[in-house]
Amino acid sequence: MTGEPGRSRRRRLKILFYAINGTGLGHLQRLLSVARPLRDLVTAFGGRVDIQIVTTSDAPSVAWDFPVYKLPSKSTVRKQGGPVEDFQRIARLTLIQLAASFRPDLLVLDTVPEGAFHELLVLRDHAVLTAFIDRRRDLKTAVSKVHQSHLALYDLVLVPDYEHRAQHYPMDLQLQSRRRFVGPIHGWSAHRAWSREEVRRRLAVPEDRRVVYLSAGGGGDRRARDQMEALVRVLADDPRFFLLLGYGPLFRGPLLYGPHRIPFTGAEVGRYFLGVDVAISAAGYNTFQELLAAEVPTAFFAQAKGLDRQDERISEGLGSGFHLELPDFQSETIRNTVDRLTEPDVVTSIRGRLSTRPVADGALRAASELLRAAVENGRGGMDRGEIPLAEQWLGHWAEVVARERERDPTQAQDDISFTGACRPVLEAAGFAGRLNRLYDLALVARETGQPSPGWTAQVLELLTWGLRMDRFFNELEASNADRRRWLKLVFSAVESEHGWLARLQLFEDLSNHGAPVGGLLRALDETLHRKQAWPCLQAVLEALGEGSVGPADLAAAFEHSEEHNEEHSEGPLSIDDVQHILGSTARSLGDASP
């Protein structure tokens, strides 16, 4: 177990995600949904991870926050009439050379286990471990010899579904020990989504209009243009609605601008979902899961795809009462479907069913399983004992952010960092000698499924503390060295009955009174008797609150006392010394001496 968080000498974990796409975005989006929490888990606990993406998707910009290697898609090559065999040979060699040069600890593929160019047998020789995300496909493909024989080549198989649906994922009994059911994988996260009020403000939605989200998938389907035009034609002039048109990054047709409608071609449209009243959308895997996770009342329609049975997905969702269906694009059908979606009883029913749906946290669980496999094989990144704690903290992060946004609506959402919040908590826990206790509680919660009494409340309290402390330090423009010294000053000597949030409040109160906290804490850190840190800082705060001393004069007085001690080799300040400084400063800065 690590006794000191945030070690910088850990071995760097290298992961290569390989996303095979043609006219869609699903494979790349799913791998990104796993890669992002994986990065958060490692970096929040002081680890190092190098994640790189290779893809044939024609929208590589959706992976803007990772290094991306873009190969042409087969669809693009066919469109220009080039020799597909030559392209496949070049692409295959390029992929092999990339893997040989990067030599990943983990190679992760999605949906097509043999690789886009049947290169898996060679690629796996250049990776320590291989993992496959086995998304559901039609049964004929799933039981095929090609699919089953290639599943056997992977060290880990992650299924983005629930275990009670295992009949849809046939696998040889001898290989099932390598398989993990993680639940649906999607990229929607409550802590990244804007509130309903923020969405309406950003889109300038009139008060009397409802937001309707329309989407035909990522935009690459050849029918997307006609489907979007049919929907807009019926709904654009309806005075009840404001249309958010989710064209997707792959859409290449004309965008239908007009009054009370906004076309959106970006990849993060999910950030608007809390402000969406109803939706009509294609039932591609990622969009389907994201709209359900955001509990948006939706009518889905099926697009015919090679491996993705959207019609089956819709049928099963209808059976569970999770959504409605748009069976065709006749004007009357579209109008009637939207009218049903806006009926209060229908909205209540759909949201009620979705609220009882099992938690769809497959992205986080998949990230944890990948990390666990790497760590158990000695590949670094973080320590095994840290993974349960990191996983549970990130799992509760959305609730922490929601509470903090409710407390302070003015706080910029993009400035809220999980990694930033974890760092002061881990450091303070280390100084207080509580780090191993946190690891143990998290392990018990994971292995038993029954957290210790008060564990969840403690997680929320600690992360709230860390979030506020991170913001506090950022406002002070504190260096990493200052952060650690100031945390140690307060936490190493404070009696156990003082809660963590109470200690945070001390910092916040000092700052709110206008104290130059940085200079004050630097001076105190050099001069203060360690065992009397808490009463001394409380005395400083009381003097500031009474107005008997000014913040600038106070800082200058402590700096003067530091210089005095250095000159006369006196010992550290005690509470009596601090009280004397406060009294002297109140009378005259010139008389301020210990």
Side-chain angles (χ1 to χ4, degrees):
M1 187 62 61
T2 60
E4 188 72 18
R7 296 185 304 170
S8 60
R9 297 186 181 276
R10 296 181 178 182
R11 185 187 181 280
R12 181 171 54 115
L13 176 62
K14 297 191 295 182
I15 306 177
L16 182 63
F17 285 93
Y18 177 13
I20 303 160
N21 280 102
T23 60
L25 272 177
H27 304 184
L28 178 57
Q29 291 278 37
R30 193 160 34 254
L31 291 183
L32 288 172
S33 298
V34 175
R36 285 170 177 146
L38 193 156
R39 177 179 57 193
D40 287 342
L41 291 172
V42 175
T43 57
F45 277 63
R48 298 186 300 160
V49 61
D50 182 359
I51 295 175
Q52 300 189 18
I53 312 285
V54 60
T55 183
T56 59
S57 170
D58 289 328
S61 60
V62 302
W64 57 270
D65 48 339
F66 293 102
V68 179
Y69 302 92
K70 168 70 173 81
L71 293 174
S73 68
K74 293 179 182 178
S75 302
T76 300
V77 174
R78 291 191 186 102
K79 285 179 183 177
Q80 75 166 14
V84 176
E85 294 78 9
D86 288 351
F87 158 69
Q88 291 179 328
R89 175 176 51 82
I90 294 170
R92 188 173 188 272
L93 290 173
T94 302
L95 282 166
I96 293 170
Q97 182 60 45
L98 172 61
S101 300
F102 186 45
R103 302 196 67 80
D105 299 304
L106 264 172
L107 172 66
V108 186
L109 276 73
D110 177 273
T111 303
V112 183
E114 64 270 26
F117 312 102
H118 301 276
E119 72 280 26
L120 176 67
L121 281 173
V122 180
L123 288 182
R124 68 195 295 265
D125 289 338
H126 302 292
V128 178
L129 296 169
T130 55
F132 177 65
I133 297 180
D134 190 16
R135 194 208 65 192
R136 182 177 170 182
R137 70 213 62 231
D138 66 277
L139 192 58
K140 182 179 178 180
T141 302
V143 299
S144 68
K145 184 177 180 180
V146 170
H147 185 76
Q148 290 294 316
S149 62
H150 280 88
L151 283 185
L153 300 177
Y154 286 89
D155 300 292
L156 179 65
V157 176
L158 302 175
V159 180
D161 207 339
Y162 305 108
E163 192 165 5
H164 68 267
R165 295 163 55 84
Q167 72 273 17
H168 299 297
Y169 305 89
M171 189 178 194
D172 188 284
L173 187 62
Q174 295 180 338
L175 300 176
Q176 290 182 13
S177 61
R178 308 179 190 180
R179 185 169 66 179
R180 305 287 185 275
F181 285 87
V182 297
I185 293 175
H186 59 80
W188 190 81
S189 56
H191 70 270
R192 287 277 296 159
W194 289 309
S195 68
R196 177 178 176 81
E197 295 73 23
E198 177 66 9
V199 169
R200 295 181 69 86
R201 184 190 68 79
R202 285 174 176 266
L203 299 179
V205 180
E207 291 185 4
D208 60 342
R209 289 185 179 247
R210 297 179 178 182
V211 177
V212 179
Y213 175 65
L214 305 177
S215 172
D221 192 283
R222 59 184 174 80
R223 292 149 296 192
R225 175 176 175 175
D226 291 341
Q227 290 168 343
M228 290 294 286
E229 287 180 353
L231 294 170
V232 174
R233 185 170 56 248
V234 175
L235 300 175
D237 295 328
D238 193 315
R240 299 174 296 170
F241 302 136
F242 184 100
L243 306 183
L244 176 60
L245 308 179
Y247 282 101
L250 291 170
F251 188 79
R252 298 296 180 261
L255 305 180
L256 300 179
Y257 289 91
H260 304 300
R261 61 179 185 259
I262 292 182
F264 188 91
T265 59
E268 291 193 287
V269 70
R271 300 193 74 178
Y272 292 88
F273 283 175
L274 292 183
V276 170
D277 293 286
V278 297
I280 298 180
S281 174
Y285 180 91
N286 292 287
T287 303
F288 182 88
Q289 295 296 342
E290 290 181 7
L291 285 166
L292 294 192
E295 298 185 2
V296 178
T298 303
F300 288 103
F301 58 89
Q303 293 173 330
K305 298 285 186 179
L307 295 175
D308 188 20
R309 292 297 303 271
Q310 295 187 14
D311 55 340
E312 292 182 358
R313 187 172 298 126
I314 291 174
S315 177
E316 292 175 4
L318 283 172
S320 299
F322 292 157
H323 54 77
L324 302 183
E325 181 182 13
L326 180 71
D328 59 61
F329 285 83
Q330 298 297 317
S331 297
E332 185 177 358
T333 304
I334 294 171
R335 193 174 293 110
N336 291 340
T337 300
V338 174
D339 287 343
R340 279 198 64 202
L341 275 176
T342 58
E343 293 175 6
D345 290 346
V346 173
V347 171
T348 300
S349 175
I350 290 176
R351 287 184 170 156
R353 293 294 184 92
L354 290 175
S355 67
T356 62
R357 183 172 174 248
V359 176
D361 58 353
L364 174 57
R365 293 183 60 190
S368 299
E369 291 293 347
L370 290 173
L371 269 178
R372 199 167 282 110
V375 170
E376 288 176 355
N377 281 271
R379 306 316 297 175
M382 60 195 305
D383 291 338
R384 181 177 181 179
E386 294 172 331
I387 297 176
L389 184 60
E391 181 182 15
Q392 290 169 51
W393 281 7
L394 189 53
H396 286 290
W397 181 239
E399 187 175 353
V400 173
V401 173
R403 288 184 175 188
E404 198 64 10
R405 284 161 60 185
E406 184 177 349
R407 186 187 74 92
D408 181 11
T410 65
Q411 187 172 182
Q413 187 168 335
D414 290 341
D415 293 338
I416 298 176
S417 164
F418 175 71
T419 298
C422 288
R423 181 166 58 173
V425 176
L426 291 169
E427 291 180 342
F431 295 141
R434 296 178 61 182
L435 196 54
N436 287 341
R437 177 61 175 162
L438 292 178
Y439 291 140
D440 293 342
L441 289 172
L443 183 61
V444 169
R446 182 184 185 278
E447 291 186 346
T448 65
Q450 297 291 328
S452 302
W455 170 242
T456 299
Q458 184 179 9
V459 168
L460 296 175
E461 178 178 300
L462 293 181
L463 289 177
T464 299
W465 184 91
L467 188 157
R468 296 182 191 174
M469 183 63 79
D470 183 55
R471 184 172 67 250
F472 174 81
F473 283 147
N474 288 337
E475 290 172 354
L476 294 178
E477 299 182 352
S479 67
N480 288 337
D482 280 341
R483 289 173 183 241
R484 289 180 59 80
R485 288 197 353 246
W486 298 345
L487 284 169
K488 189 173 183 179
L489 169 68
V490 175
F491 281 86
S492 61
V494 177
E495 297 297 329
S496 60
E497 63 264 20
H498 296 291
W500 291 35
L501 287 175
R503 304 175 206 182
L504 166 68
Q505 193 62 47
L506 176 73
F507 283 98
E508 289 188 324
D509 287 344
L510 286 169
S511 181
N512 290 338
H513 280 296
V517 183
L520 179 61
L521 289 175
R522 287 189 188 94
L524 287 172
D525 188 46
E526 297 296 330
T527 63
L528 197 59
H529 193 286
R530 190 70 66 192
K531 292 297 182 183
Q532 299 194 30
W534 183 258
C536 290
L537 287 173
Q538 286 185 311
V540 169
L541 179 60
E542 183 178 345
L544 287 168
E546 293 173 351
S548 59
V549 297
D553 289 347
L554 185 61
F558 276 100
E559 290 170 2
H560 180 76
S561 71
E562 179 183 355
E563 295 170 1
H564 184 89
N565 282 357
E566 289 178 354
E567 182 179 348
H568 297 282
S569 300
E570 297 183 9
L573 295 176
S574 66
I575 183 61
D576 293 334
D577 298 323
V578 170
Q579 294 285 11
H580 182 72
I581 291 173
L582 293 173
S584 299
T585 305
R587 292 190 297 271
S588 169
L589 178 61
D591 295 331
S593 59

